[in-house]
Amino acid sequence: MLMHKVTTLNQFIIERQAEIPGATGEFSRLLHHVGIAAKKVHREVNKAGLVDILGRVGTMNVQGENQQKLDVYADTIFMDELRASGECCGVATEENEGVVVFDEGGSKEGKYVVCMDPLDGSSNIDANVPVGTIFSIYRRKSPAGEPPVMEDFLQAGTEQLAAGYVIYGSSTMLVYTAGRGVNGFTLDISIGEFCLSHPSILTPAAGRMYSINEGNYINFPVGVKKYIKYCQEIDAASGRPYTSRYIGSLVADYHRNMLYGGIFLYPRTNAYPEGKLRLVYECNPMAFIAEQSGGIATDGDRRVLEIAPGSLHQRVPFYVGSRGMVMKLTEFLSFFNNI
Ligand code: AHM
Ligand code: MG
């Protein structure tokens, strides 16, 4: 019988490490631990309906949103694994107001900091809708051996060493980039390993799907309203009308659009005058992946990766996806001065 060669995430990380000049095993070890945490969260997400882990835990996160039990669980798991790696000196997550400093053992000497949303889209959990983990890895600016400082976490997205997401969907996938393309790994539960299933992902330049919460239409900037109407117009030559698809779970919406070609939009609204999504641990990692797969990410005025973050939980408008679609949107936005 012909056997296919399977590349596991760990093999892949090690092989890639050898290709990067000056890379050490530390970075690989960190990614390895991200993979372990992802498997643990996968396990809990999959049995969530069977045990009393669903539902709100009763506390609010720093943004005043109800925390769900799985949010708390995922936050703890990732935190524990990153601490255990010994390579990470601190973490910023959606669930914690400030940064969490790891000052025990080797962690103090860790060269890296991680920014993450441990379980994005958690309001969907009760309905069995895909949720995701989003992460971003930076090299610290402060000297190793000392506690990390805010500057380590507030670096522009262009400084990311690696970024990725895990989607807990019909199968669980880990997708990441370390600046040399985007690769996707599907969790094979029979062997408990993430296996390379989507090598060198490139998003179509001309997509045909748009994803936006149209319930907020009245509050959108004029350029976004006009762009939505443009997507809905009939024009056989350019494949319009486009298809509207919106799950309300960033990782799932983004992942589908990246594979099929599309644009995801979260503009400023009345409820979220700065935009809803968080620059540091939601938009920047997705933007890095988008660019590495041939797409674009903008806040309407600026390349997302070049925005200097002012605070950990800063929100920005977010437009990401296929190059042709995002370019067209920005034409509309600039024509109407992005207001
Ligand atoms: P969360 O971090 O509280 O889960 O919120 C982020 C989520 C994203 O996954 C998704 O893109 C967005 O919120 C959906 O927002 P809305 O329900 O306003 O359309
Ligand atoms: Mg989130």
Side-chain angles (χ1 to χ4, degrees):
M1 198 171 65
L2 197 63
M3 297 287 282
H4 289 287
K5 182 179 177 289
V6 173
T7 303
T8 66
L9 175 63
N10 289 336
Q11 283 169 339
F12 187 86
I13 293 170
I14 291 164
E15 282 166 21
R16 279 295 164 105
Q17 179 193 305
E19 293 172 12
I20 302 173
T24 62
E26 296 160 351
F27 182 62
S28 303
R29 262 196 299 282
L30 184 57
L31 275 176
H32 168 72
H33 281 267
V34 169
I36 295 177
K39 285 189 230 176
K40 291 184 176 173
V41 173
H42 157 89
R43 190 185 58 204
E44 291 312 304
V45 168
N46 271 266
K47 68 182 189 199
L50 300 172
V51 292
D52 182 29
I53 200 160
L54 276 175
R56 304 189 200 303
V57 78
T59 56
M60 297 276 196
N61 73 5
V62 289
Q63 268 111 115
E65 293 152 345
N66 261 311
Q67 279 187 341
Q68 311 265 318
K69 285 185 182 177
L70 268 172
D71 293 24
V72 179
Y73 179 83
D75 194 58
T76 310
I77 291 297
F78 274 95
M79 208 70 94
D80 289 351
E81 279 303 325
L82 291 170
R83 191 182 274 116
S85 76
E87 311 299 350
C88 173
C89 61
V91 180
T93 84
E94 180 171 337
E95 306 302 330
N96 296 281
E97 176 129 34
V99 303
V100 177
V101 172
F102 298 157
D103 51 10
E104 55 279 275
S107 299
K108 226 177 183 166
E109 302 293 329
K111 289 183 191 153
Y112 305 103
V113 297
V114 176
C115 302
M116 68 186 314
D117 184 351
L119 207 65
D120 183 67
S122 52
S123 61
N124 292 308
I125 293 169
D126 289 355
N128 226 339
V129 168
V131 289
T133 296
I134 310 173
F135 64 91
S136 175
I137 302 175
Y138 292 87
R139 191 183 297 277
R140 67 186 296 180
K141 297 268 181 209
S142 55
E146 290 177 16
V149 296
M150 195 50 91
E151 198 198 350
D152 296 324
F153 298 88
L154 297 183
Q155 301 187 49
T158 46
E159 301 298 308
Q160 290 172 101
L161 292 180
Y165 59 79
V166 185
I167 176 168
Y168 310 95
S170 46
S171 58
T172 290
M173 273 190 77
L174 189 150
V175 174
Y176 90 97
T177 181
R180 295 159 48 79
V182 178
N183 291 283
F185 302 79
T186 302
L187 183 59
D188 180 342
I189 47 169
S190 66
I191 56 171
E193 294 282 1
F194 282 105
C195 299
L196 182 61
S197 53
H198 295 62
S200 305
I201 299 173
L202 286 176
T203 193
R208 293 196 52 244
M209 251 175 222
Y210 70 101
S211 308
I212 188 166
N213 183 345
E214 262 180 280
N216 297 321
Y217 185 86
I218 294 290
N219 305 132
F220 290 156
V222 183
V224 173
K225 287 182 176 171
K226 299 280 184 195
Y227 178 72
I228 292 173
K229 290 301 157 205
Y230 165 86
C231 291
Q232 295 169 346
E233 275 165 18
I234 299 172
D235 177 45
S238 57
R240 288 177 288 144
Y242 295 151
T243 297
S244 169
R245 288 280 182 275
Y246 191 70
I247 297 170
S249 193
L250 173 62
V251 172
D253 278 311
Y254 175 81
H255 184 70
R256 180 203 54 236
N257 289 0
M258 178 175 70
L259 295 181
Y260 298 158
I263 183 170
F264 174 92
L265 308 93
Y266 210 111
R268 47 176 75 92
T269 64
N270 260 16
Y272 295 105
E274 310 297 330
K276 181 181 183 189
L277 301 176
R278 274 56 63 114
L279 172 63
V280 172
Y281 45 79
E282 291 177 332
C283 302
N284 267 337
M286 299 313 254
F288 192 17
I289 292 169
E291 289 197 3
Q292 286 291 318
S293 65
I296 296 182
T298 171
D299 73 344
D301 290 321
R302 298 163 292 181
R303 179 182 174 213
V304 167
L305 293 181
E306 289 178 4
I307 301 174
S311 62
L312 279 183
H313 302 288
Q314 178 178 345
R315 299 175 194 260
V316 287
F318 191 46
Y319 308 108
V320 62
S322 292
R323 175 166 289 275
M325 297 184 91
V326 180
M327 298 281 278
K328 191 72 190 172
L329 168 75
T330 53
E331 276 174 36
F332 279 96
L333 288 175
S334 56
F335 188 78
F336 293 100
N337 296 321
N338 198 10
I339 48 168

